Structures are given as structure tokens and as C-alpha cells.
Amino acid sequence: MLVRLAEIEVDPENLERYLTLLREEIEASVANEPGVLALQAMALRDRPGCIRLLEVYADAGAYAAHLLSPHFLAYKAGAEGLVRSLRLTEVDPVLLRAQDGFGSAGGDRDEPG
Amino acid sequence: MLVRLAEIEVDPENLERYLTLLREEIEASVANEPGVLALQAMALRDRPGCIRLLEVYADAGAYAAHLLSPHFLAYKAGAEGLVRSLRLTEVDPVLLRAQDGFGSAGGDRDEPG
């Protein structure tokens, strides 16, 4: 398993455009790539332009394939110029647990608070 | 949905003991509390005493009930003295997606790299 925590800072005036791109990328990746185990994006409440993205891949091969996927390449191209900074932190899973159905496309989305 | 990102710093000499407590707490919470949607703990690779915990609750009531659960209270009592600092950051979900079966008790655990 390969797990990363990305810290992404987006210019406020570009935030809605960036979030649309990010959501499209997440939906397409989890729907089409079984090796993308989870992509979980959130925004800091007191600094909404600060995005945190937890990325979980089955292994390094799944991650390498993801980087070449058309939806990731489209995201990268679109996000260029919108993202002020990107920091990737390698993490080791301690324990990842969730209820059945967590993160499914039919579940909750965009529900702040 | 209520989502938080906790940053926990643990003294290195207490790390194994703390991780045991944390794993027990996560397993019990997700197994026994349907309103605890996900608890995902990871350690920074270059600073293993720095833990990040993504917490997802169904709503504020589920979180309040969690704080009174016997397994959470046992964790809190045990972790006291082991944790050097704790910072809780409120976040709003942008999009949380995962494959079916992600985070299930029969899945992967403790697999760095």
C-alpha cells in the first residue's frame, strides 16, 4: 500500500474552478482504476483555499499507472496555474478503517458541517 | 458529515504503546459505532512520532456519542502522558471516494511502503 498526504494551496479566485477539476479527477480515478483505493479531499474550514488530499494506492505500480491516466493528465493540465503550492508527504498507514459503503459514489458528498 | 484532521505528536519512546492504543480504539469505534464512518491513521515517514488521523463522523451527534464510548474513554486515559501535542483541525469534505471494501477489517493493515 502506498499512502500520501498532499497539501495543496489554491488562489481563492480560482478555488471553485480547481475544486471542479479535483472532483472530476477523483471520481474518474476511483471509478476506473481499481488500484486507486481511495482519494479523500477536504478543505481547511478557516482557510478554504488550503486543500488536503489523502491518497491511497494499492502499490507503486498502481500509482505509476495513475500518473499516466487520461483523467489525471487532464487534471494536471487544468490545475496548472490554479495551484499556488503543492506539498506531498509520504506517510505509512497505521490503520485505515471505514464502514461498509464509505466513499461510494452513491454516498454523501459536499456536505460541510 | 463531520470531518476532522488530527495532528498528534508522540514521544518516540512511547510510540509503540501509543500505536497499540490507537489501533484498538479505531477497531472498536468502527466496529461498534455506525456513526463513526471512518478513522484513518497514518505516520509521517520521516517523523514516525507524528501521527495524522482523519476522522469522519455521520454528524455531530455521532461524534458526541463517540466521545462517551467506553473504548474512546479507555484510549483517552491510556494516551494521557504519551501524547506530546494534539491539534484538531476542522475540515469540510470536498469529496471522499474509496473502492468497495476499503477500510474493512479484513483488508490490508500495517503495510508500510
Side-chain angles (χ1 to χ4, degrees):
Chain A
M1 197 184 282
L2 191 155
V3 187
R4 292 201 323 193
L5 194 56
E7 299 183 1
I8 303 157
E9 202 174 341
V10 181
D11 289 318
E13 66 268 28
N14 295 325
L15 186 57
E16 276 315 304
R17 216 169 121 212
Y18 173 75
L19 292 181
T20 299
L21 282 170
L22 180 61
R23 287 188 182 110
E24 288 172 355
E25 199 270 334
I26 290 174
E27 293 280 18
S29 299
V30 173
N32 298 305
E33 298 183 75
V36 178
L37 301 184
L39 290 173
Q40 300 174 44
M42 61 215 89
L44 303 195
R45 181 158 301 170
D46 56 359
R47 293 169 62 201
C50 290
I51 307 299
R52 297 289 181 270
L53 178 62
L54 176 60
E55 310 175 27
V56 186
Y57 305 96
D59 52 37
Y63 178 57
H66 173 66
L67 294 182
L68 297 174
S69 68
H71 42 270
F72 179 77
L73 294 172
Y75 160 80
K76 264 296 182 199
E80 210 177 10
L82 306 180
V83 168
R84 190 184 292 169
S85 71
L86 166 65
R87 194 170 71 148
L88 299 172
T89 303
E90 300 288 335
V91 297
D92 290 317
V94 170
L95 191 58
L96 309 178
R97 282 289 175 269
Q99 300 293 341
D100 288 347
F102 172 79
S104 70
D108 291 321
R109 66 172 280 182
D110 308 334
E111 288 194 307
Chain B
M1 195 183 283
L2 191 155
V3 187
R4 291 203 322 194
L5 195 57
E7 300 183 1
I8 302 157
E9 203 174 340
V10 181
D11 289 318
E13 66 269 28
N14 295 325
L15 186 57
E16 277 315 306
R17 216 168 120 214
Y18 173 76
L19 291 181
T20 298
L21 281 169
L22 180 61
R23 287 188 182 107
E24 288 171 355
E25 199 271 332
I26 290 174
E27 293 280 17
S29 299
V30 175
N32 297 306
E33 298 182 76
V36 178
L37 301 184
L39 290 173
Q40 301 175 44
M42 60 215 89
L44 303 195
R45 181 157 302 168
D46 56 0
R47 294 170 63 201
C50 290
I51 307 299
R52 296 289 179 273
L53 177 62
L54 176 60
E55 310 176 27
V56 186
Y57 306 95
D59 52 36
Y63 177 57
H66 173 67
L67 294 182
L68 297 175
S69 67
H71 41 271
F72 179 77
L73 294 172
Y75 160 80
K76 264 297 182 199
E80 209 176 11
L82 306 180
V83 168
R84 190 184 293 170
S85 70
L86 166 65
R87 193 171 71 147
L88 299 172
T89 303
E90 300 288 335
V91 297
D92 290 316
V94 170
L95 191 57
L96 311 178
R97 282 288 175 273
Q99 300 292 341
D100 288 347
F102 172 80
S104 70
D108 291 319
R109 65 173 280 183
D110 308 335
E111 290 194 305

